[in-house]
Amino acid sequence: MATNRTAHTVWEGELLKGSGTVTFDSSGIGDYPVSWPSRAEQANGKTSPEELIAGAHSSCFSMALSHGLTGAGTPPTRLETRAEVTFQPGEGITGIHLTVRGEVPGLDEDGFVAAAEDAKKNCPVSQALTGTTITLSAELA
């Protein structure tokens, strides 16, 4: 069964001086302010499209890695994933770096790295972002 999730943004004003609010409709988890300075300079309590992508990517990757490890007979105890999305004004998103640290009983470092590489390649968010260079660092705790 397919699922749809929605969010919407209301933007007011021009790019450099304006601002907006992103609302997560499907989950109802809240409204979050967004602005050009929060995207291109310091966050200052506001989010950005890149931070939202980082959240989506880190959670999707963690789910894919957990699924792959479990399917291979080595379910993880814990996975901690960080996604760093780099935005360069005038160029756009120039890369994403995933860092994962895992606790996986019965699995060696090489097996964990291989599973992480597979998850990076096959998680739906990675596949949606194929036009962006995605790199990975993976290690066992």
Side-chain angles (χ1 to χ4, degrees):
M1 168 175 42
T3 59
N4 293 304
R5 300 292 183 258
T6 59
H8 76 275
T9 299
V10 175
W11 186 268
E12 296 178 352
E14 63 181 82
L15 175 62
L16 298 180
K17 295 179 184 175
S19 63
T21 302
V22 178
T23 301
F24 293 95
D25 301 317
S26 300
S27 64
I29 61 172
D31 304 323
Y32 297 88
V34 62
S35 68
W36 177 255
S38 71
R39 184 177 198 184
E41 299 166 17
Q42 295 298 315
N44 292 323
K46 296 180 180 177
T47 193
S48 69
E50 291 72 28
E51 184 177 37
L52 298 172
I53 290 170
H57 205 176
S58 66
S59 60
C60 182
F61 171 86
S62 294
M63 290 179 199
L65 180 54
S66 175
H67 180 67
L69 290 167
T70 300
T74 53
T77 302
R78 178 180 168 87
L79 299 171
E80 184 175 336
T81 304
R82 176 184 176 88
E84 182 178 0
V85 178
T86 301
F87 174 74
Q88 178 64 47
E91 290 181 45
I93 294 173
T94 58
I96 299 171
H97 185 74
L98 298 170
T99 302
V100 62
R101 184 173 173 90
E103 296 174 17
V104 187
L107 189 65
D108 65 14
E109 192 84 21
D110 289 342
F112 183 69
V113 170
E117 286 289 347
D118 185 66
K120 179 189 85 160
K121 177 182 171 188
N122 293 305
C123 97
V125 172
S126 289
Q127 290 178 347
L129 299 171
T130 55
T132 301
T133 300
I134 302 170
T135 56
L136 173 70
S137 299
E139 68 178 9
L140 291 172

